Every structure is written in structure tokens, then in C-alpha cells.
Amino acid sequence: MTRKHRKTLELIFAYPPGAKVKWRDIEALFRELGAEVTQREGSRVGVRLFGERRVFHRPHPSPDADKGAVASIRKWFEKNGVKP
């Protein structure tokens, strides 16, 4: 895992959840972990990872993921043994 991906993972696991995590960095981290990321209707993004399919909303107009999405991703990662 590259240093940039590791930094994104640390931001996701920061407490309290930060609002300064760039969505494009989260998508890149998903891909680094082996995910299939697909564009869905509107601003939805499908992510197949850990044998599951999750749907997230790509933030707009801000490039930063909201705190709820970051917390959800953190729980998903914890459930599947991904840690910083």
C-alpha cells in the first residue's frame, strides 16, 4: 500500500471522523484494496469489495466526503479486518 493510501486510511480511522477526506482518495483506496468501483445513476458509486456491494453518494459540489460516509466506511473496514 502506498503512503498516500495509508494516509487516507488513517484519516478514515481518525476519531472523531474528519470531513477533510477527499472522495477521490477514498475511491483510490477502494481500488487499492481490490474493489470494483462503478458509476451508477446520478452521483451514486457502486463498490464491490469483501464479497459485498455497497452504494455511496459521490459528494458535490465539495470534493470532501461527509462525516457519515467516512464513519460508514470505517465500520465496513473494521468489520472486514482493514486497519491503518
Side-chain angles (χ1 to χ4, degrees):
M1 182 178 296
T2 67
R3 196 161 101 182
K4 181 159 179 69
H5 295 309
R6 197 172 314 278
K7 174 76 171 157
T8 301
L9 191 58
E10 289 170 2
L11 287 172
I12 290 170
F13 276 85
Y15 190 83
K20 294 295 180 189
V21 184
K22 302 284 185 223
W23 179 255
R24 69 175 180 266
D25 294 342
I26 293 173
E27 281 191 35
L29 178 60
F30 286 152
R31 288 186 181 95
E32 175 71 15
L33 294 172
E36 173 189 332
V37 179
T38 56
Q39 179 63 42
R40 309 224 8 201
E41 52 284 335
S43 62
R44 292 183 182 99
V45 177
V47 180
R48 179 176 296 282
L49 183 63
F50 311 124
E52 299 176 42
R53 163 95 45 207
R54 297 279 175 111
V55 177
F56 297 98
H57 286 94
R58 183 177 284 131
H60 54 81
S62 171
D64 300 329
D66 65 37
K67 291 179 182 182
V70 172
S72 173
I73 292 166
R74 181 177 61 225
K75 284 182 184 178
W76 191 31
F77 282 176
E78 286 175 336
K79 176 183 161 194
N80 289 284
V82 176
K83 299 176 187 173

